[in-house]
Amino acid sequence: MTVLEIRGQTGTSRVLIGERIDRLSSHLPGGQAIFITDRNVRRLYPALFSGIPTVEFPAGESAKSLETVAFIYGKLLELGADRSTFIVGVGGGVVSDLAGFAAATFLRGLGFGYASTTLLAQVDASVGGKTGVNFGGYKNMVGVFQQPRFVLCDPSFISTLPRGELLSGLAEVVKHAAIGSAALFETLEARSGEVLSLRPDLLEEIIAKSVAVKAAVVGRDEKEAGERRVLNFGHTLGHAFEARLGLSHGEAVSLGMVAAAELSVGRGLLPAEDAARLRALLGSLGLPTSVSFDRDAILDAVRKDKKRAGGGLKFVFLKGIGNAVVEDIPLGELEGHIHDLR
Ligand code: ADP
Ligand code: ZN
C-alpha cells in the first residue's frame, strides 16, 4: 500500500492506494457511520453495504444536483445523524462530489471519507478537496473545498468498470504523466498492454504515481489561484470537444491533449518528437487521437467557457514530457492553429 498525505487548509487527507476495501472499517473513527452510494455500485457490491445504514441515489451525472443533496440531508435526518456521524462516499466521482458536499454542509460539517470505485475518481475526482453539484446548466457551479479524511483506492474495483469509464480514468493518468511525471509516462509507454489487462500491482503503481502528481500540484495551490491550472491540460479544447462532438470526457480530453501538444510545438515550446510520443501513448491505450470537427463550433464553445472564467484565456502548454506551463493564449492564435486532428 502507498499512503500519500495531502495537507490542505481544510484538513489533511490520506490517500490510501492499494488498500483493500475489506479494511475500510479500520479507517473509520468510532461512532455512527453512514455510507452514501449510487444504485450501480450498490448492486455490484451488495456485501459492502450489508448492515450499514446507506443512502442510495440513481447513478449518473444527472444525479449531481441540489435535489439529490436535499434528498441526502433528509435521509441523514431520518437516520439520526449527529455531529459525531462519519460519512463514507462509496463510488465514482459523482458519489464523492455529492457525499462530500452533503457531509461538508450538514450540521455545518460532518467528517467524511471516500472509497473510490472508478479509476477516474481514484486518480482525480477524490483528490484535491473539491465537492459540489451542477446548477443552472453549469457543471460544478455550487460547492465547497473540503478535504476528505481519507480516500481508499482499491484497484480491484476497476475490474468491473465499463471500458469507457476505464478509458476516462486512463486519459487523466496520461494527463498527470504529461504534466508532471516523465517516469510515469515511460512506465505507461513500456507497459500499455499490461495496463489494459488491469494487472493489479501495475494499476497500484500508476494510480500512486498519478495521485502523487496531482497531490503535489494541489498542495502548492489548493484553491486554484495559479499553478493548479496545469491540471487543465487538454481540458480547454477537451471540454469543447465533449460539449460539441458528443464524446465522453476521456475521449475528449485525449483529443484535447493531442491538440494542446500541437499548439505547444507550434509555439516552439515542445519538440515535435514529444508530441508524437504523447499521441502514440494515447493511441496504444485505446484513446482517440484523430477527429474532424467544425472549427467555428469548437471555438464558440471555447469562447463560452472563457467568458465564464473571466479574464484572458489561459492555456496549458507542454515544454517536455512531464513539464507543463500555463500561458495566455490570444483567441486569434487558437483560431489560426486549430484544425482537424489527423
Ligand atoms: P466518474 O467517472 O466521475 O467516477 P461516476 O461516479 O458517474 O463518474 O461513475 C461512472 C459510472 O460507473 C456510474 O454509472 C457508476 O455507477 C459506475 N461505477 C462506479 N464504480 C464502478 C465499478 N467499480 N464498477 C462498475 N461500475 C462502476
Ligand atoms: Zn478531466
Side-chain angles (χ1 to χ4, degrees):
M1 176 172 57
T2 310
V3 180
L4 292 170
E5 291 213 338
I6 303 179
R7 281 193 200 86
Q9 289 160 29
T10 58
T12 296
S13 187
R14 282 161 50 87
V15 187
L16 315 165
I17 300 143
E19 178 66 316
R20 294 200 332 264
I21 189 64
D22 56 16
R23 304 237 330 123
L24 174 59
S25 60
S26 72
H27 299 285
L28 302 178
Q32 184 191 29
I34 296 178
F35 285 11
I36 298 183
T37 190
D38 72 28
R39 209 155 284 159
N40 283 345
V41 174
R42 188 161 188 187
R43 203 178 294 143
L44 280 165
Y45 297 97
L48 260 179
F49 303 92
S50 86
I52 295 168
T54 299
V55 181
E56 170 195 315
F57 48 77
E61 183 75 18
S62 60
K64 244 179 81 167
S65 65
L66 286 175
E67 287 72 32
T68 307
V69 175
F71 167 80
I72 294 170
Y73 292 154
K75 292 288 177 191
L76 293 178
L77 270 181
E78 259 174 56
L79 292 166
D82 63 27
R83 296 204 45 85
S84 66
T85 299
F86 192 83
I87 302 294
V88 186
V90 185
V94 169
V95 168
S96 42
D97 270 341
L98 277 162
F101 184 63
T105 49
F106 191 76
L107 294 175
R108 298 201 177 91
L110 304 181
F112 67 98
Y114 302 136
S116 294
T117 64
T118 66
L119 181 60
L120 186 59
Q122 294 186 355
V123 300
D124 194 22
S126 314
V127 182
K130 287 181 174 181
T131 75
V133 298
N134 305 329
F135 185 75
Y138 292 99
K139 287 188 89 169
N140 304 321
M141 270 304 265
V142 178
V144 296
F145 281 96
Q146 182 72 50
Q147 296 289 349
R149 302 257 179 90
F150 64 78
V151 183
L152 186 152
C153 302
D154 181 342
S156 72
F157 280 118
I158 294 167
S159 64
T160 56
L161 269 190
R163 190 173 165 80
E165 297 296 333
L166 174 69
L167 289 183
S168 285
L170 286 176
E172 305 291 340
V173 170
V174 172
K175 179 191 80 175
H176 288 145
I179 65 169
S181 175
L184 174 56
F185 200 95
E186 282 157 21
T187 302
L188 294 167
E189 284 180 316
R191 304 179 69 183
S192 58
E194 290 166 275
V195 172
L196 288 173
S197 64
L198 309 182
R199 272 192 58 155
D201 56 331
L202 182 59
L203 283 179
E204 182 175 333
E205 178 186 335
I206 68 171
I207 293 165
K209 286 186 175 158
S210 185
V211 171
V213 170
K214 180 154 187 191
V217 173
V218 170
R220 291 190 290 262
D221 177 19
E222 194 182 5
K223 299 214 168 150
E224 210 154 74
E227 189 192 333
R228 193 163 172 164
R229 290 207 182 94
V230 296
L231 295 170
N232 278 334
F233 176 59
H235 280 63
T236 303
L237 290 166
H239 283 146
F241 291 145
E242 189 175 352
R244 298 299 162 102
L245 304 180
L247 298 172
S248 75
H249 184 70
E251 293 168 329
V253 168
S254 177
L255 294 164
M257 289 192 285
V258 172
E262 286 196 356
L263 284 160
S264 307
V265 174
R267 271 202 174 192
L269 290 168
L270 184 72
E273 309 87 85
D274 285 348
R277 275 177 73 191
L278 176 63
R279 194 169 192 152
L281 174 59
L282 291 164
S284 71
L285 291 171
L287 284 156
T289 58
S290 59
V291 70
S292 51
F293 53 84
D294 172 7
R295 197 164 141 271
D296 292 335
I298 295 301
L299 287 167
D300 185 56
V302 172
R303 266 186 226 108
K304 288 221 170 81
D305 242 25
K306 165 178 137 73
K307 219 184 207 164
R308 202 185 132 214
L313 183 62
K314 302 272 182 204
F315 197 85
V316 188
F317 295 94
L318 287 188
K319 287 175 83 172
I321 299 298
N323 189 0
V325 291
V326 181
E327 292 182 2
D328 285 311
I329 188 169
L331 271 175
E333 182 176 345
L334 261 188
E335 277 165 25
H337 280 84
I338 78 162
H339 50 77
D340 288 357
L341 296 170
R342 295 182 203 286

